[in-house]
Amino acid sequence: MNPKRCLIEPGDLTTGEIFHLIGLANDILHRPEAYSDRCKGKLLASLFYEPSTRTKFSFDAAMLRLGGQVIGFSDPNTSSASKGETLADSARVVSCYSDVIVVRHPKEGAAKLIAQNADCPVINAGDGGHQHPTQTLTDLMTIQKHKGRLDNLTVGVCGDLKFGRTIHSLVSCLAQFDNLRFRFISPEELQMPSFVKDVLDRRGIAYEETNQLDQAIGSLDILYMSRVQRERFVSEEEYLRLKDYFILTEEKMALAKQDMIVMHPLPRVNEIQRDVDDDPRAVYFDQVRNGMYVRMALILFLLGLDKEAKA
Ligand code: NCD
């Protein structure tokens, strides 16, 4: 029996495994019927201690489309957490019932703690302002699909780089590919934290920090927009001051390369104007669809069911 595998941060997967998951996700996308009962008899427990629409639905849909079943909660007030149960105990208990656990939690490090105490594979679906590795798999699949490569790219990430966990995971993960350049576009108050910059520094990867989207956009192959993360601000006043700092409009898109793509993990608030949705370079709704397939691939991989040929 293989040792238990978990996905807590992108570094838990090798480059080869990332390509394997993207390849598998594409295969599932093209012939879903070949996978429709691969998880028959398996149970996914989905523990959402923080609100979510797409990530929770995406995991639930992924497991159901593999023929498995789902239990869990999306409101911690309905779980024993409200009685004071520790996360470690919850992990032990839930892993007695299920084959794989998906957890989202407002505290950094919560998913790791659950992984240390559960007997089954654990997937981090977002821990506070820290990491969100399955969104990264979604993003990489989308980049590969629309740009045909994960190397030789100039990537702009724009918005709340301080609290945006999808950005932390994406940038640290992209650092393993060749010839990447980053432009970090944010107000000074929301700059990229040092735990991400350190990864780039160690690998000698160039990045620039700016608060000028108009000046940076023309050099980009990818523009990754993000929401200002209201729930992570201590001061509401500070949030209100920064929330509309960047708004992507068609006028700004006119300054971008013809083959630049615009991504966003969603939900969007004001940071991308609705008219940009009709621009063929806007791929954020395709990104959502890819997310379900790559999560199907990940569930199969962690359960050791990814190589099983269908008779
Ligand atoms: C992101 C998240 O939860 O971190 N959403 C998602 O999972 N697709 C981004 C966000 O909430 O802004």
Side-chain angles (χ1 to χ4, degrees), residues 122 195 204 254:
V122 174
F195 82 90

Side-chain angles (χ1 to χ4, degrees), residues 76 79-90:
S79 83
S80 284
S82 65
K83 299 184 193 164
E85 185 174 54
T86 63
L87 271 185
D89 278 2
S90 299

Side-chain angles (χ1 to χ4, degrees), residues 132 296 311:
H132 193 346
M296 290 170 83

